[in-house]
Amino acid sequence: MNYRIAPSILSADFTRLGEEVRRVIDAGADLIHFDVMDNHYVPNLTFGPMICQALRPVSTVPIDVHLMVEPVDDMIRAFIEAGADIISFHPEASRHIDRSLQLIKNAGKQAGLVLNPATPVHVLEHVLDKLDMVLLMSVNPGFGGQSFIPHTLDKLRRVRSLLDHYQAQTGRRIVLEVDGGVKAGNIAEIAQAGADTFVAGSAIFGQSDYDAVIREMRQALVQAA
């Protein structure tokens, strides 16, 4: 299994964001996770495409953009222009999920769909051909530092089964990412439930030694394999 760790800059020091991105990449980050909130779809306001564009030359790994905005299509276009590599959005934020996914795919970017804790899995079934990633929220979106919701493990197993069945039929693998409350102490259990990409915010940026915490996560993942 090719596990990937995606530090969320929502928990980084905003006064030196470029330096934080460089530090966490040097520590072994595989992706930079970019949480975009609009104070409408979720009750918080974070950063927009201009910040993504500014960080694009700094990041030597893919930028993984999670759009928590409504409506979503204009922001998809803006983040395509800003240099995002992966763009994921919530089905509740799009009137036409298939069309929104196609906007991302037409630009040559990777497309993802995000499921909140209470969003049913069946929303994925008719758009798997356009998905490169499924992101399961293991907290309710809007704020960092929340605790992992335990029933997410059951949902991960269900989605992993769906994606494995799709891969067996088509030969195409879809990444399964999880976001919310991920840390070294639970990352192995989350991996065993089916996740292969792990978003971690405060668990990484809340520590003084990024190398040590990412190394601890990778050691736990080796044990989970």
Side-chain angles (χ1 to χ4, degrees), residues 159-197:
V159 175
R160 179 78 274 160
S161 177
L162 175 68
L163 300 186
D164 285 350
H165 180 69
Y166 175 77
Q167 183 177 2
Q169 290 183 315
T170 66
R172 197 172 71 85
R173 183 170 180 82
I174 298 173
V175 170
L176 180 51
E177 185 174 47
V178 65
D179 182 0
V182 177
K183 53 190 177 182
N186 63 10
I187 196 170
E189 186 178 23
I190 296 168
Q192 289 167 346
D196 52 50
T197 303

Side-chain angles (χ1 to χ4, degrees), residues 22 31 102 108 114 131:
R22 290 188 188 96
L31 306 169
Q102 195 62 55
V114 189
L131 291 179

Side-chain angles (χ1 to χ4, degrees), residues 86-153:
I86 307 163
I87 301 176
S88 302
F89 64 91
H90 293 254
E92 299 91 345
S94 173
R95 291 190 178 221
H96 304 283
I97 298 169
D98 187 274
R99 184 180 297 161
S100 297
L101 289 169
Q102 195 62 55
L103 279 175
I104 302 169
K105 300 296 287 182
N106 286 346
K109 307 295 184 178
Q110 293 185 47
L113 210 55
V114 189
L115 304 189
N116 285 331
T119 303
V121 171
H122 68 74
V123 72
L124 301 171
E125 292 175 357
H126 300 293
V127 292
L128 288 171
D129 62 316
K130 291 184 174 64
L131 291 179
D132 301 288
M133 175 185 286
V134 174
L135 169 54
L136 290 194
M137 295 302 298
S138 44
V139 298
N140 287 298
F143 297 94
Q146 299 183 68
S147 297
F148 185 89
I149 296 174
H151 71 68
T152 306
L153 295 173

Side-chain angles (χ1 to χ4, degrees), residues 67 72-82 87 99 103:
L67 294 178
V72 74
D73 286 359
D74 285 346
M75 283 293 100
I76 287 173
R77 296 183 183 97
F79 275 92
I80 287 168
E81 291 297 319
I87 301 176
R99 184 180 297 161
L103 279 175

Side-chain angles (χ1 to χ4, degrees), residues 9-10 14 17 33-37 45-49 51 79:
I9 61 170
L10 181 64
F14 288 3
L17 203 48
H33 191 77
F34 205 91
D35 286 303
V36 182
M37 306 182 192
L45 185 66
T46 58
F47 13 65
I51 304 298
F79 275 92

Side-chain angles (χ1 to χ4, degrees), residues 17-36:
L17 203 48
E19 180 186 342
E20 289 276 75
V21 168
R22 290 188 188 96
R23 280 188 64 200
V24 82
I25 291 172
D26 288 344
D30 300 293
L31 306 169
I32 294 298
H33 191 77
F34 205 91
D35 286 303
V36 182

